[in-house]
Amino acid sequence: MTVSEMNRTAAALDIFDKLKNEGFGDLHFKVDPATGLEAIIAIHSTKRGPALGGCRFIHYDSSEDAIIDAMRLAKGMSYKTAIAGLPVGGGKAVIMRPDNLTDRPAFFRSFGQFVQELGGRYITALDSGTTLADMDCIAEITPYVGSKTNMGKHGGEGDPAPSTAQGVFRGIQAVVKYKFKRDDLKGLHIAIQGAGAVGYLLARHLHEAGAILSVADINPEAVERCKREFGATIVDYHTIHTLDCDIFSPCALGAILNDDTIPTIKAPIVAGGANNQLAKEHHGQVLRDRGIIYAPDYAINGGGIIHAAAKYFHHSDAKATQHIEEIYNVIYTICERADKLNQPTNVVANSIAEERLR
Ligand code: NAD
């Protein structure tokens, strides 16, 4: 569903009803005419700790679209942090990207003031449209920032992608163990859709573990690099999901698992780093009906948020790595429980997260 479609659905709803129905929390707004800042911070849950979630800085057609997006993303963060067992809750910031931005550092310092005014109930981090340089500006005003430059060695400073890729790799190992009863990935054929920040680093892990790779990306340079460095086969990005392989790993787009694609998937496992892979919740059941094990996206791609939380709480790199390694057990448990309860894996993941949020 596009943001505009969600907006139309939301238009029929009273905002307080929506907050209550979705289990929020609170919703905060800020305007700063001096810098042009128009921002929303949605706090879904602080039950497990301060609400952690990225700051999205993209164009929205309307403020309603931005509110709905902030709420949807904040709720998703509660589930993601809960399934990862982090001592934080879920929140998200959305900043309306202005047509003209004359002083970006001042703009983000103004946003930092907004975060500061919430007194630590919300911790911000990187998301679409924001950069580590923006986070550094925010950090000049407030300590409640989970990603900055120069945060230490783990995961390439403040960049979450290496940790996300590491977690997805562990999740893939877990599903392989569950499905194929094997501890190694040697000779398994894995199709990666999207060789960007996460997909490329995941490809490196998989290559080092002896997997055979096929990759697709709309960016020819991205796939060429995987071919050169990992001997990957380049596949058309329109058809990568149809490949006859062991694992299909979506690392690019949301809603890739839908009515059109699922009947054409031949891989018995779907496990990748992309967010919001299921077009609709019921597609988890459709995958299960086809005998395909799906590693729920927010459970397998939580390495980045574990990394951000570790940086925020000044945990050692070793402790962060150990926590990311735990994604193996999370995914294995979800697979086991799905079969025991005869439920799709996404439903099982949601119920584990909801149990922890109660
Ligand atoms: P990225 O922009 O670096 O990489 C995405 C790649 O997908 C790009 O190379 C792009 O060219 C490619 N792509 C776009 N459309 C495509 C298509 N139709 N077919 C094939 N490839 C296509 O982004 P990223 O940081 O690697 O994130 C990838 C996914 O993982 C996103 O869904 C993101 O939300 C999710 N995710 C990322 C992180 C992180 O730490 N970066 C954390 C959690 C989830």
Side-chain angles (χ1 to χ4, degrees):
M1 200 189 268
T2 66
V3 172
S4 291
E5 284 164 346
M6 284 186 289
N7 179 31
R8 280 195 289 281
T9 312
L13 292 172
D14 178 86
I15 192 71
F16 286 110
D17 279 347
K18 179 139 182 78
L19 286 168
K20 277 184 282 183
N21 293 343
E22 300 286 335
F24 274 78
D26 37 298
L27 196 56
H28 302 265
F29 297 84
K30 181 86 173 178
V31 289
D32 176 13
T35 59
L37 179 79
E38 293 179 354
I40 299 159
I41 293 176
I43 296 178
H44 179 260
S45 170
T46 52
K47 180 109 187 150
R48 298 173 56 82
L52 175 63
C55 170
R56 189 160 282 198
F57 182 46
I58 59 173
H59 173 80
Y60 286 95
D61 288 339
S62 71
S63 46
E64 286 84 356
D65 286 350
I67 294 168
I68 297 306
D69 212 24
M71 289 178 64
R72 179 178 67 82
L73 294 166
K75 185 174 179 184
M77 287 309 299
S78 286
Y79 280 61
K80 185 180 273 201
T81 53
I83 202 96
L86 288 167
V88 293
K92 204 84 179 186
V94 158
I95 307 180
M96 311 278 287
R97 185 185 270 273
D99 291 335
N100 294 310
L101 184 57
T102 47
D103 188 345
R104 190 164 174 135
F107 185 88
F108 278 97
R109 281 195 295 271
S110 177
F111 176 70
Q113 183 59 34
F114 184 20
V115 173
Q116 175 65 16
E117 283 160 10
L118 295 176
R121 297 190 66 243
Y122 167 68
I123 304 162
T124 200
L126 273 186
D127 202 273
S128 311
T130 48
T131 65
L132 285 174
D134 298 332
M135 295 296 130
D136 290 346
C137 294
I138 297 167
E140 287 177 31
I141 308 297
T142 180
Y144 306 120
V145 186
S147 29
K148 286 178 281 186
T149 47
N150 301 320
M151 294 185 88
K153 275 190 294 176
H154 182 80
E157 302 189 330
D159 179 5
S163 301
T164 304
Q166 184 194 346
V168 175
F169 176 64
R170 290 295 286 153
I172 286 177
Q173 286 180 316
V175 196
V176 164
K177 174 74 175 174
Y178 187 78
K179 178 83 180 175
F180 300 137
K181 312 280 176 254
R182 12 183 321 188
D183 290 311
D184 70 287
L185 304 181
K186 279 197 192 74
L188 289 181
H189 181 189
I190 304 177
I192 304 177
Q193 180 184 50
V198 173
Y200 166 74
L201 294 170
L202 174 65
R204 183 194 286 161
H205 282 293
L206 296 170
H207 172 67
E208 284 169 1
I212 295 159
L213 302 179
S214 292
V215 293
D217 198 294
I218 53 170
N219 174 2
E221 282 169 26
V223 283
E224 279 300 334
R225 182 162 68 150
C226 291
K227 181 180 174 183
R228 200 171 53 241
E229 295 183 21
F230 314 131
T233 303
I234 299 174
V235 177
D236 182 349
Y237 67 84
H238 294 102
T239 54
I240 179 111
H241 58 279
T242 67
L243 220 60
D244 194 356
C245 59
D246 297 297
I247 301 168
F248 168 50
S249 183
C251 294
L253 310 166
I256 181 64
L257 305 172
N258 56 48
D259 289 336
D260 294 332
T261 59
I262 294 174
T264 66
I265 293 174
K266 296 189 190 76
I269 294 171
V270 175
N275 276 319
N276 305 316
Q277 291 172 33
L278 298 173
K280 301 245 170 71
E281 279 296 298
H282 78 266
H283 287 118
Q285 182 67 57
V286 181
L287 283 162
R288 183 169 174 81
D289 291 345
R290 285 217 50 222
I292 297 169
I293 301 190
Y294 162 65
D297 46 15
Y298 70 86
I300 196 170
N301 74 14
I305 199 71
I306 294 172
H307 167 76
K311 291 295 168 196
Y312 179 76
F313 291 116
H314 304 294
H315 291 160
S316 66
D317 290 353
K319 190 169 174 183
T321 302
Q322 199 185 350
H323 196 149
I324 293 165
E325 295 281 300
E326 277 299 303
I327 288 177
Y328 182 101
N329 291 330
V330 171
I331 296 295
Y332 195 88
T333 303
I334 290 171
C335 293
E336 262 184 340
R337 230 183 256 192
D339 279 343
K340 196 166 156 213
L341 302 174
N342 192 20
Q343 286 181 345
T345 50
N346 59 313
V347 171
V348 170
N350 286 352
S351 51
I352 294 172
E354 282 159 10
E355 223 168 83
R356 294 177 179 180
L357 288 166
R358 266 197 287 276

